[in-house]
Amino acid sequence: MKTGRITELFGIDKPVISGGMVWCSGHRLASAVSDCGGLGLIGSGSMHPDTLREHIEKCKAETDRPFGVNLSLFYPQLEEAVDIIMETGVKVVFISAGNPALLTRRFKDAGITVVHVVSSTKFALKAEAAGVDAVVVEGFEAGGHNGRDETATMVLVPAVCRAVKIPVIAAGGIATGAQIAAAFALGAEGVQMGTRFALCDESSASDAFKERCRSLAEGGTMLTLKKSGNIRMVKNELYERIEAAIDGCASADEIKEIVGTRRAKLGIFEGDMKEGMLEIGQTATLVDRSESVADIFADIEAGYAEAVGRL
């Protein structure tokens, strides 16, 4: 599998990064990905600061390979999380949402590699200007929160690669070795995979969530809540109520009341398939069995070699 600036930047063997997904990306998943030669990320978005510290310390105990933390700039206790990241010696931070200039210089002055997640060329250029080391370019095939422009990975990746000089990591709609080869053909130097890792054995998501997502047919996920921030989720009872409210011209407050709070935890972590917000990407339709992180790496490496050989 191709190596280059991404593997050198993170000190890893394979240019594959796991998504820092809420309720999925704990220390078990992050350490397993890192042990397989990729870069595992701890998803801080669903963790209280003390829980984040616990997962970082456990990940350090479980692997001697590089790993990182995914941090949303909308994290409610942002300063506390930043302090924990620095105190525990985390070497890589992927930041998302908000202005990348907010924390980039602070992290880099502390010797931390910084990557920003973007969904447009405009924000990729802003991230580069802020001094980040690389960008994750996420197409709208991805699960969870998505860019408002709804630009697909096949279009977005080459556009960003043409615009910036820093390394580009492709994300959104990538789950197989052949798709990794396609991302590299478009100019990316690494990939970030969320959905397939979210459904693997080491993910902390509930078994009910994993089983439901593995059974999805094409079109089983959809973007919704476009006025308040795109979210891709499984079509379930909650999704249908949200869409009915939107079609009925419900107010923002009325829709907010339907969505409520804790919906992602209810669905992904606690396994409520009806009332939970089941955030997952389109590539869930390509995953139909239980598998470990090691199984995934073996499969994508074989698939990558086969695709490149066939081309």
Side-chain angles (χ1 to χ4, degrees):
M1 196 177 294
K2 177 183 175 181
T3 60
R5 289 193 293 175
I6 288 298
T7 50
E8 293 170 4
L9 181 64
F10 301 129
I12 57 179
D13 300 328
K14 301 160 189 174
V16 177
I17 299 114
S18 60
M21 303 162 288
V22 294
W23 306 114
C24 297
S25 301
H27 63 91
R28 284 187 64 230
L29 178 55
S31 62
V33 171
S34 292
D35 277 344
C36 285
L39 182 72
L41 294 184
I42 294 172
S44 67
S46 53
M47 300 178 180
H48 295 296
D50 287 344
T51 306
L52 173 60
R53 184 187 296 274
E54 177 186 350
H55 278 260
I56 292 171
E57 295 295 354
K58 286 183 176 179
C59 199
K60 289 167 67 177
E62 291 164 355
T63 184
D64 58 359
R65 303 302 302 273
F67 69 91
V69 170
N70 185 83
L71 179 66
S72 169
L73 295 178
F74 293 154
Y75 186 85
Q77 295 162 291
L78 185 61
E79 282 301 317
E80 194 170 347
V82 170
D83 289 342
I84 289 170
I85 287 169
M86 291 185 172
E87 290 167 8
T88 54
V90 172
K91 298 301 183 185
V92 180
V93 174
F94 280 49
I95 52 178
S96 59
N99 182 1
L102 180 65
L103 291 175
T104 296
R105 180 48 53 194
R106 186 173 168 189
F107 278 138
K108 288 182 68 66
D109 286 347
I112 297 172
T113 300
V114 180
V115 181
H116 194 63
V117 181
V118 301
S119 59
S120 70
T121 301
K122 173 184 175 181
F123 287 111
L125 287 167
K126 285 188 174 183
E128 183 178 47
V132 304
D133 296 288
V135 287
V136 173
V137 178
E138 186 177 82
F140 94 122
E141 300 95 324
H145 293 272
N146 258 288
R148 292 183 180 275
D149 295 335
E150 299 185 23
T151 308
T153 301
M154 183 70 76
V155 175
L156 186 59
V157 169
V160 174
C161 288
R162 184 169 56 188
V164 303
K165 295 181 175 62
I166 56 177
V168 169
I169 300 164
I174 299 172
T176 70
Q179 288 169 320
I180 293 173
F184 291 161
L186 296 174
E189 296 180 57
V191 297
Q192 183 172 54
M193 290 170 40
T195 292
R196 192 166 182 183
F197 285 126
L199 304 181
C200 76
D201 298 341
E202 290 88 348
S203 164
S204 52
S206 69
D207 288 341
F209 172 75
K210 294 176 186 179
E211 291 169 6
R212 174 65 181 275
C213 291
R214 291 183 196 129
S215 68
L216 292 174
E218 288 183 15
T221 69
M222 193 65 68
L223 287 178
T224 187
L225 297 169
K226 295 183 180 181
K227 289 186 178 180
S228 58
N230 285 346
I231 298 180
R232 180 174 296 283
M233 58 183 286
V234 174
K235 294 178 180 178
N236 64 352
E237 285 83 343
L238 174 63
Y239 168 84
E240 297 297 341
R241 290 212 312 278
I242 292 171
E243 287 297 294
I246 293 171
D247 291 343
C249 299
S251 68
D253 287 340
E254 289 172 328
I255 294 173
K256 186 176 180 180
E257 184 176 350
I258 294 172
V259 174
T261 60
R262 297 181 64 255
R263 290 287 191 179
K265 180 181 181 182
L266 184 65
I268 299 170
F269 193 68
E270 297 179 358
D272 189 328
M273 296 298 99
K274 294 182 178 180
E275 296 300 323
M277 185 170 285
L278 311 179
E279 301 177 16
I280 201 70
Q282 289 182 332
T283 56
T285 60
L286 302 177
V287 183
D288 58 5
R289 64 187 183 279
S290 174
E291 56 187 351
S292 68
V293 167
D295 293 334
I296 292 173
F297 270 90
D299 182 68
I300 61 176
E301 288 183 82
Y304 175 86
E306 191 277 332
V308 171
R310 174 164 38 83
L311 291 171

